[in-house]
Amino acid sequence: MLSINYKLLNFTDGDKLLDVGCGEGRHVIHACLEHNIVGIGVDLSLRDLKITAERFSPFAAYNPKSYFSIQQTDATKLPFADETFDKIICSEVLEHIENYQGVLQEIKRVLKPNGILAISVPRAWPEKICWKLSAAYHQVEGGHIRIFNAKQLRNEITAISFEFTHRYWAHALHSPFWWLKCLWWDTQDESRLIKLYHRVLVWDLMQKPWITQALEKLLNPILGKSVVMHFRKA
């Protein structure tokens, strides 16, 4: 389930991509399979990085023109030289980090001039509903510690020498799913409705039927759970 529109990243052969807070590798793996690039994913969670490696393993020989690597690191102290990367993705990460401004500064440091940054965070109003329905949703270990105002975040990023280029929304079908999970947080594993909804989301992910694809595209500006913004470094 990708949040970032890769067409807007405009990959060219040999590009160096950094996925900051790559989690279980969804973005960096997909990028390395579809484009001839150097893709590096970093995350603080060793467990997530192990899952990333396991997921990539069956595809290791799929695109021999790409290079794939993962590394455990703190996003506020990236172990790379200045102006190393052509593209950087930071998807659904900043809401977990206390010093998110430090992450943005590190991203600025390691991104090349004219490089592209794509950031996604949970959209404010669907996220507020989740917080109201369940305290446990955001109080779990590693959970969300803030709700971003997208306009404010955009202004913070442009204030550190980035030019804003695009904004869009993603995962409209996931907003009601998470509301249901939060509403019945303590008994969600027993809910037939939540299980059925989850099957629909998996079906949509695997089969990409036109009806759910069209529905989500139509609903994203209204219900999209994530807001995605692209920037270019000055």
Side-chain angles (χ1 to χ4, degrees):
M1 182 183 71
L2 300 178
S3 302
I4 307 301
N5 183 345
Y6 282 178
K7 291 181 180 179
L8 296 177
L9 290 181
N10 193 27
F11 283 118
T12 59
D13 286 357
D15 271 353
K16 294 180 179 179
L17 166 70
L18 177 65
D19 188 352
V20 177
C22 66
E24 297 178 357
R26 55 181 175 148
H27 284 102
V28 67
I29 290 174
H30 188 272
C32 286
L33 295 180
E34 299 297 326
H35 304 277
N36 302 327
I37 62 170
V38 174
I40 298 176
V42 298
D43 203 283
L44 194 59
S45 169
L46 185 58
R47 171 193 169 278
D48 285 352
L49 291 174
K50 288 180 178 178
I51 293 174
T52 300
E54 291 169 0
R55 287 183 171 178
F56 181 76
S57 182
F59 305 103
Y62 179 83
N63 184 2
K65 294 184 179 180
S66 275
Y67 173 83
F68 171 82
S69 177
I70 52 177
Q71 183 171 344
Q72 184 182 27
T73 191
D74 183 339
T76 64
K77 301 174 184 178
L78 295 173
F80 306 108
D82 295 357
E83 301 180 359
T84 296
F85 297 95
D86 303 281
K87 312 289 189 327
I88 295 181
I89 292 172
C90 185
S91 180
E92 311 299 304
V93 174
L94 299 181
E95 67 274 12
H96 297 273
I97 299 177
E98 184 69 37
N99 181 20
Y100 73 91
Q101 295 95 339
V103 177
L104 294 175
Q105 288 291 344
E106 277 294 270
I107 286 173
K108 174 187 174 184
R109 181 182 67 80
V110 302
L111 185 62
K112 294 178 181 179
N114 211 40
I116 296 175
L117 166 64
I119 282 184
S120 76
V121 295
R123 192 178 188 176
W125 79 262
E127 185 75 352
K128 287 178 181 178
I129 293 177
C130 288
W131 282 47
K132 286 184 180 296
L133 291 174
S134 172
Y137 165 79
H138 63 93
Q139 290 177 353
V140 296
E141 183 179 356
H144 300 178
I145 63 173
R146 69 175 55 82
I147 298 176
F148 276 107
N149 177 294
K151 184 177 181 180
Q152 181 179 337
L153 178 60
R154 167 181 165 177
N155 290 340
E156 287 187 56
I157 296 172
T158 56
I160 57 172
S161 301
F162 280 90
E163 175 192 358
F164 171 75
T165 58
H166 300 90
R167 181 195 63 182
Y168 50 94
W169 299 271
H171 313 314
L173 297 182
H174 287 250
S175 288
F177 175 69
W178 278 98
W179 295 338
L180 290 172
K181 283 172 66 73
C182 289
L183 185 60
W184 289 292
W185 188 267
D186 293 332
T187 59
Q188 60 181 287
D189 292 339
E190 303 166 12
S191 170
R192 292 183 180 180
L193 179 58
I194 294 174
K195 289 179 181 178
L196 177 60
Y197 204 139
H198 184 261
R199 289 195 202 106
V200 172
L201 293 178
V202 172
W203 173 65
D204 172 61
L205 178 64
M206 301 303 294
Q207 302 299 323
K208 293 181 170 52
W210 71 267
I211 187 168
T212 53
Q213 297 289 297
L215 183 62
E216 183 152 81
K217 186 176 182 180
L218 179 66
L219 291 176
N220 271 336
I222 305 167
L223 286 178
K225 192 173 190 302
S226 297
V227 55
V228 189
M229 295 181 287
H230 290 234
F231 302 84
R232 189 177 298 276
K233 181 180 173 183

